[in-house]
Amino acid sequence: MRQIIYFDHAATTRPFPEVLEAMLPYYSASFGNPSSAYELGEESKQAVEQARNTIAATLNVEPETIYFTSGGTEADNWALRYAVNETGRKRAYEYAEGNVKWDGMSRKHAGLNQTGKWENRRPHIITTVIEHHAILRTCEALEQDGIRVTYLPVDRSGVVNLDALERAVCPETVLISVMYANNEIGTIQPVAQAARIAGRNGILFHCDAVQAYGQIPVDPKRLGIDLMSVSGHKLNGPKGIGFLYARQGIDLKPMLRGGSQEKKMRAGTENVPGIVGMAAAAEISHRILREKIYRETELRNYFFKRLLTEIPGVKINGSTQTRLPNNMNCSISGVNGGALVALLDLEGICISAASACSAGSDELSHVQLAIGNSPAEARSAIRITLGPENTREEADFAADTIRRLVKKLREAD
Ligand code: PLP
């Protein structure tokens, strides 16, 4: 295989060698089903529980609060659907019983009829316009089922507006979902403040921490997060594995029904190698976290500075302050981001024009438009995301190549 320089760690990451090493036995000698009664099964079961303990320790939470899923998308779907179906129902009941008081809100305003029946209420979710499609598309589907959704705007720097959040809360609000860090522009959201608003109003708070976990410290209890989604493949772990954190006391309802795996909350034979690999990646990422943040911030700033000073017409997208250490996103005037990505690929350099999930479609990035960029600026945006293995030599080579290719694209125009 040809040598590549990989600068697309927000899309996915290369598993650490130790991750593969940890996984291999569970694809070979230790292939048992964790539900089997004999020793081979017990070995797998213990590996799953050990992985749960390892992951819980990185978050300062109890192991019982971690539910393994197939990834971030499933965890996001679970959190949203759970909150609407179960918590929403409970809230409607409590409201009807008079156990929930809403300042200045009448029953009529809350959408309740005389008996306070659930059928007559439209549960309400608050989220942001810059969420990942795993959240946005689920919200769209919920809207089709009659759920009301408020999509909060962000400012030009890509940070959600908390005043708008306060104003959006109403008696029917069953969930507030705000991502930890954005997958395109890397902006870190005011999660603690948003969770406080949720808590004050007795509303569940969900956070999509897929881009944050393993990149910056994440402490759901301190932040007041009720539900949190994480994915294994963004932190040098395997694909197809992730988890939902559901704080103690949450009466979680099943995502999948069948066997009794994951305390009957997520049925299906466990992805043992994936779970073990994700835990190994989580352990390593957290062990090296401080050094990783320091190295990536330095390298990112150096790389960014080269692009900004050496290429005319480069504009940073998103805050320069509250941003993931490894994220660079900029628009390069007069250059098509997709064309630049394709030319860089020919030179063995991997970056993104938008988030990987919408790459390949002609749709403009909803994040670029949300921060007020014009369609031209959105089309000329590129995302470069660093990982622990990137070096200054790679950054220099990529910066030189980008400068050369931008010139070529501009001359061809
Ligand atoms: N949420 C965010 C913020 C993401 O960046 C991604 C993946 O890019 C997901 C959710 C989906 O995670 P997964 O790929 O594990 O389904």
Side-chain angles (χ1 to χ4, degrees), residues 352-363:
S352 255
S355 87
C357 313
S358 50
S361 79
D362 213 23
E363 210 180 298

Side-chain angles (χ1 to χ4, degrees), residues 10-11 71-73 76 132 134 179 181 183 208 210-211 231 233-234 357:
T73 300
D76 281 346
H132 188 268
M179 69 193 330
N183 45 299
D208 176 339
V210 167
Q211 292 289 338
S231 173
H233 71 105
K234 309 288 186 181
C357 313

Side-chain angles (χ1 to χ4, degrees), residues 70-251:
S70 66
T73 300
E74 183 185 323
D76 281 346
N77 273 259
W78 191 358
L80 261 55
R81 293 205 171 269
Y82 156 74
V84 168
N85 291 333
E86 303 303 331
T87 313
R89 214 174 290 272
K90 212 176 290 172
R91 265 172 89 76
Y93 177 77
E94 284 172 357
Y95 184 83
E97 293 290 294
N99 295 335
V100 179
K101 301 264 181 291
W102 302 101
D103 295 345
M105 301 261 187
S106 67
R107 287 169 77 88
K108 190 159 163 268
H109 179 100
L112 278 178
N113 71 0
Q114 281 307 305
T115 55
K117 285 267 175 62
W118 166 260
E119 301 86 65
N120 297 313
R121 283 169 55 98
R122 270 164 39 97
H124 176 230
I125 289 178
I126 303 173
T127 188
T128 82
V129 285
I130 58 164
E131 296 298 310
H132 188 268
H133 283 132
I135 295 288
L136 294 178
R137 297 273 187 261
T138 307
C139 283
E140 281 168 29
L142 288 169
E143 280 184 288
Q144 287 180 1
D145 292 343
I147 310 299
R148 202 159 61 80
V149 183
T150 299
Y151 299 92
L152 300 173
V154 293
D155 60 21
R156 268 211 75 90
S157 68
V159 176
V160 71
N161 185 323
L162 289 170
D163 290 335
L165 172 56
E166 289 268 16
R167 285 195 302 275
V169 170
C170 71
E172 297 135 301
T173 311
V174 294
L175 180 79
I176 296 173
S177 180
V178 176
M179 69 193 330
Y180 207 122
N182 182 260
N183 45 299
E184 290 190 36
I185 54 175
T187 48
I188 298 170
Q189 302 303 315
V191 171
Q193 294 94 314
R196 220 171 295 135
I197 293 171
R200 216 171 38 235
N201 289 285
I203 298 165
L204 275 183
F205 184 78
H206 168 253
C207 180
D208 176 339
V210 167
Q211 292 289 338
Y213 181 69
Q215 310 300 331
I216 51 174
V218 173
D219 189 336
K221 277 210 226 169
R222 195 176 54 78
L223 294 168
I225 292 171
D226 297 310
L227 297 157
M228 189 174 85
S229 309
V230 167
S231 173
H233 71 105
K234 309 288 186 181
L235 60 146
N236 301 88
K239 296 170 184 60
I241 188 71
F243 64 85
L244 178 72
Y245 158 79
R247 75 156 163 78
Q248 277 189 327
I250 288 207
D251 180 22

Side-chain angles (χ1 to χ4, degrees), residues 333-398:
S333 71
V335 169
N336 183 295
L340 181 56
V341 167
L343 288 178
L344 283 166
D345 185 28
L346 294 176
E347 313 254 353
I349 299 171
C350 304
I351 67 161
S352 255
S355 87
C357 313
S358 50
S361 79
D362 213 23
E363 210 180 298
L364 289 176
S365 149
H366 63 290
V367 178
Q368 295 291 336
L369 299 179
I371 59 172
N373 273 350
S374 66
E377 285 169 324
R379 253 180 232 111
S380 70
I382 56 167
R383 178 187 72 180
I384 297 172
T385 43
L386 280 50
E389 71 273 20
N390 287 134
T391 62
R392 181 166 294 216
E393 290 69 42
E394 289 179 329
D396 277 329
F397 180 70

